[in-house]
Amino acid sequence: MSISLADLYRQNSDLEAFCQEVRKLGGNFELDARQMEALGQAYFEVHPEKFVQRNLDEVRLGYQLARCCLLEKALAGLPPAVKDFFRQAFDQPECIAGLLDDYRRSENLPLLVSSFNCLQASLDELKAAIDELPKGMIKERFLGGISTLYNTRYLLSIFISRLGSNGLQN
């Protein structure tokens, strides 16, 4: 079994370094409610929650941490080129139309559509795991992380549907 995300975060509490290590795992890690709870505890060891004078940068950092893990888990098993497309789309949602246009010209659009369907199902499974978390700051961070992913998923859904079934429609 691979290292837990909580242990990985304790070794790499810099968000960028942590996300690079998570990406290297290729989604080969557990991310159920128990693992989310453990990761949240590791996060709060480094960034203790303050109920007075909250540090909003640390709150956003927690959302980014959750989003990184959730996205990489949702991308598990997808082809590398499709993973790269989705990483770019989720990192820069304002560029989705251009990314899709580039992808449509150079790649297999049916693969993208079927991969998007798998991605949606994976995100829904991860949301169900988040729903199992007890109320509190850890759940709040994961809800914040997946909310952004759901917003981008919605945009992707709109743009992909506009391509039409054969990818020739604008």
Side-chain angles (χ1 to χ4, degrees):
M1 184 172 163
S2 65
I3 187 171
S4 75
L5 292 180
D7 290 338
L8 188 63
Y9 187 72
R10 286 182 180 102
Q11 295 172 7
N12 301 283
S13 61
D14 174 75
L15 181 64
E16 189 173 320
F18 172 76
C19 288
Q20 287 175 359
E21 292 300 314
V22 170
R23 190 173 285 175
K24 288 178 187 176
L25 296 174
N28 187 23
F29 54 86
E30 289 187 45
L31 195 58
D32 57 14
R34 189 174 49 77
Q35 294 295 324
M36 289 178 194
E37 184 81 26
L39 178 58
Q41 289 171 357
Y43 167 80
F44 284 118
E45 289 168 10
V46 177
H47 305 285
E49 182 62 19
K50 301 170 195 96
F51 295 100
V52 177
Q53 297 181 349
R54 294 178 82 190
N55 183 330
L56 295 181
D57 288 333
E58 289 180 356
V59 172
R60 284 188 284 272
L61 184 71
Y63 294 157
Q64 291 172 322
L65 174 83
R67 189 170 48 247
C68 163
C69 297
L70 292 165
L71 180 60
E72 288 306 314
K73 186 64 177 174
L75 293 174
L78 297 181
V82 175
K83 283 183 182 184
D84 290 340
F85 169 85
F86 286 122
R87 283 184 187 122
Q88 288 178 45
F90 282 97
D91 284 344
Q92 299 173 319
E94 68 278 7
C95 298
I96 289 174
L99 290 169
L100 271 173
D101 196 42
D102 291 345
Y103 196 91
R104 181 179 57 172
R105 284 193 294 251
S106 65
E107 297 287 338
N108 182 354
L109 191 61
L111 175 64
L112 179 72
V113 172
S114 66
S115 296
F116 180 63
N117 292 333
C118 292
L119 175 66
Q120 290 189 94
S122 294
L123 287 173
D124 290 341
E125 288 175 16
L126 290 165
K127 172 63 168 73
I130 293 169
D131 290 342
E132 293 175 16
L133 289 169
K135 289 182 182 180
M137 298 283 73
I138 293 172
K139 184 172 188 168
E140 186 270 334
R141 294 303 191 276
F142 277 95
L143 284 172
I146 202 158
S147 293
T148 304
L149 295 177
Y150 269 25
N151 291 341
T152 304
R153 178 178 90 165
Y154 176 72
L155 292 173
L156 280 164
S157 177
I158 290 170
F159 281 103
I160 288 172
S161 69
R162 287 182 183 169
L163 291 174
S165 60
N166 62 5
L168 299 176
Q169 181 180 339
N170 283 324

